[in-house]
Amino acid sequence: MSDPSSGCAPSRTAVTEAEAEALIRGICFKTGPPRLLGVEVEWLVHELRDPRLPVPHERLEAAYAALRGVTLRSALTVEPGGQLELSSPPAATLTECVGTVSADLDAVRAVLREDGLGLSGMGHDPWRNPRRFLHRPRYDAMEAALDRTGAGGRFMMCASASVQVCVDAGHEEPGPLGHVRRWWLAHLLGAVLVAAFANSPLSAGRPTGWRSTRQLRWAQIGAGRAGGPALDADPRATWARHVLDAPVMCVRRDDDRPWDVPDDLSFRHWTRRRTPRVPTHDDLDYHVTTLFPPVRPRGHLELRMIDAQPGENSWTVPLAVTAALFDDPEAAETAYRTVKPLAERTAGLPAPHNPLWRDAARDGLTDPELREAAALCFAAALAALPRLGAAPALVDRVAAFRDRYVARGRCPADDLLDTWRAAHDGRTAASGAPSPSIHPHGKDTPS
């Protein structure tokens, strides 16, 4: 969600409706043999002495100023709430991708540690309500637009973190690595990834009833801004329609005045009405960056549904599993056959606003069908990782995650819930007060 500096067609010339559709169809799916991999890892920044304490704005500014002097191979950006994001350069192998980002994270942690700060791998801030660190026209406009659908937008902007895996779009031709198959796989496997790696069950210090509160926040934003298109046999056409019919978040200005935040204006209507000004090619590219579906095509596929993971190296597990299931032909075929039956649970609705994704975010791997699918997918990934040249240590890390969570029908969120229950039961026992229960029906309780 960092400010974009490049994209589909950077040009200030006017764009028509037909030109916009052609640009989206021609550039957002760049097909060819899968050969590159990337990852974007977001982190909440906390006080080492007590992660529940908010970090003062001035300390964050000073720490981030120090980080600007650090040489990194990954792009380092700051999110609206002060979260840090490292975006890897495209890597030719999984080993290269892991090595690059790991080295950069070591350097970033060393600088933060000098100022008493650390990184937390959680999908949603479990303690604090959202507060904005960055005040820029893009984020002012985003906040105003998202406030129309409730509080979920501010939590998404300022209190969430993820592991985003980027894979190539795939072959033009059909088959396990074909772009149509990979597009379908991303939207069905995505629910399994949500459930297996859910790691955000708390908000404002209390359980929300959802194992991935982060995914709940995305759903609360609405289908136009944070939903995907309907799945059919032509991803290019469906994505182009989705982009053109999606609401315009803002109309940018070249001066210091606030950006316009139009109400009920799609990009299609903008090209037809040509007001408040004529849309340009650059506006189209920017518009795509203001859409947050769980799978976003930007020449490659961005898988945006995975919660940030606990520990220093746990982010490598969803990266490795996803890479194996997309880029190893045998594993890709197994994954597709495994998740294809899950399509019945979508009720024909796009992700994440369908029953399958809702159940994945709320129930994690306590859902029997998702647990079985995750077990088969992890087995396929573990078999494929040596074929992809993965280091033994990485394979062992994936196997350990499988044994600790998938095999037991658990996800990292369950660890956080266990810790919360233990601490809360101890407090209520000491006070003699009855222990509050987690809402059993997925009620969203944060204030």
Side-chain angles (χ1 to χ4, degrees), residues 372-422:
E372 181 181 4
L376 292 171
C377 287
F378 266 74
L382 282 165
L385 285 172
R387 296 194 291 267
L388 294 178
L394 179 57
V395 178
D396 290 345
R397 200 174 297 141
V398 174
F401 187 99
R402 187 267 315 271
D403 295 342
R404 178 173 179 174
Y405 296 114
V406 178
R408 301 168 61 199
R410 291 173 60 88
C411 59
D414 291 304
D415 290 349
L416 293 174
L417 288 171
D418 288 347
T419 300
W420 183 88
R421 291 188 188 103

Side-chain angles (χ1 to χ4, degrees), residues 246-261:
V248 173
M249 188 182 79
C250 58
V251 178
R252 295 173 295 166
R253 296 180 180 275
D254 292 329
D255 54 32
D256 294 332
R257 290 178 295 168
W259 294 356
D260 290 332
V261 183

Side-chain angles (χ1 to χ4, degrees), residues 108-140:
V108 168
R109 286 192 175 100
V111 171
L112 294 177
R113 195 179 301 117
E114 292 179 357
D115 199 29
L117 301 177
L119 300 178
S120 290
M122 287 180 282
H124 189 281
D125 193 317
W127 304 292
R128 297 174 293 270
N129 284 324
R131 60 167 188 164
R132 197 135 63 88
F133 173 72
L134 295 180
H135 292 273
R136 296 176 182 171
R138 170 180 169 89
Y139 299 130
D140 293 343

Side-chain angles (χ1 to χ4, degrees), residues 32-193:
R35 61 187 181 86
L36 296 176
L37 177 70
V39 69
E40 300 175 14
V41 287
E42 296 174 338
W43 304 86
L44 305 175
V45 180
H46 64 83
E47 295 274 7
L48 284 175
R49 60 191 174 94
D50 187 345
R52 295 169 297 179
L53 297 175
V55 181
H57 190 282
E58 296 76 15
R59 288 190 63 209
L60 280 181
E61 282 190 331
Y64 295 165
L67 284 173
R68 286 193 287 271
V70 179
T71 300
L72 304 171
R73 290 193 60 199
S74 304
L76 179 68
T77 52
V78 179
E79 297 296 297
Q83 312 98 305
L84 279 184
E85 177 182 283
L86 278 173
S87 302
S88 73
T93 66
L94 175 60
T95 299
E96 177 188 340
C97 187
V98 169
T100 296
V101 178
S102 295
D104 289 342
L105 278 170
D106 287 344
V108 168
R109 286 192 175 100
V111 171
L112 294 177
R113 195 179 301 117
E114 292 179 357
D115 199 29
L117 301 177
L119 300 178
S120 290
M122 287 180 282
H124 189 281
D125 193 317
W127 304 292
R128 297 174 293 270
N129 284 324
R131 60 167 188 164
R132 197 135 63 88
F133 173 72
L134 295 180
H135 292 273
R136 296 176 182 171
R138 170 180 169 89
Y139 299 130
D140 293 343
M142 181 183 294
E143 184 175 275
L146 296 182
D147 279 351
R148 292 170 178 164
T149 58
R154 294 198 182 198
F155 278 95
M156 178 275 290
M157 290 175 63
C158 302
S160 70
S162 68
V163 177
Q164 298 180 22
V165 181
C166 300
V167 297
D168 282 330
H171 289 285
E172 186 68 28
E173 301 78 13
L177 302 184
H179 78 283
V180 175
R181 175 76 68 87
R182 287 162 78 85
W183 180 245
W184 275 71
L185 177 62
H187 286 85
L188 295 177
L189 177 64
V192 179
L193 297 175

Side-chain angles (χ1 to χ4, degrees), residues 197-269:
F197 296 108
N199 187 39
S200 52
L202 306 174
S203 182
R206 294 179 58 84
T208 65
W210 296 72
R211 283 171 171 79
S212 179
T213 302
R214 174 183 170 274
Q215 189 60 53
L216 168 67
R217 299 304 185 196
W218 285 110
Q220 288 173 334
I221 293 171
R225 180 72 54 204
L231 295 180
D232 65 19
D234 187 352
R236 289 189 177 95
T238 55
W239 176 247
R241 286 196 300 270
H242 182 75
V243 170
L244 290 176
D245 292 333
V248 173
M249 188 182 79
C250 58
V251 178
R252 295 173 295 166
R253 296 180 180 275
D254 292 329
D255 54 32
D256 294 332
R257 290 178 295 168
W259 294 356
D260 290 332
V261 183
D263 190 16
D264 196 27
L265 176 68
S266 69
F267 201 91
R268 189 187 303 279
H269 289 156

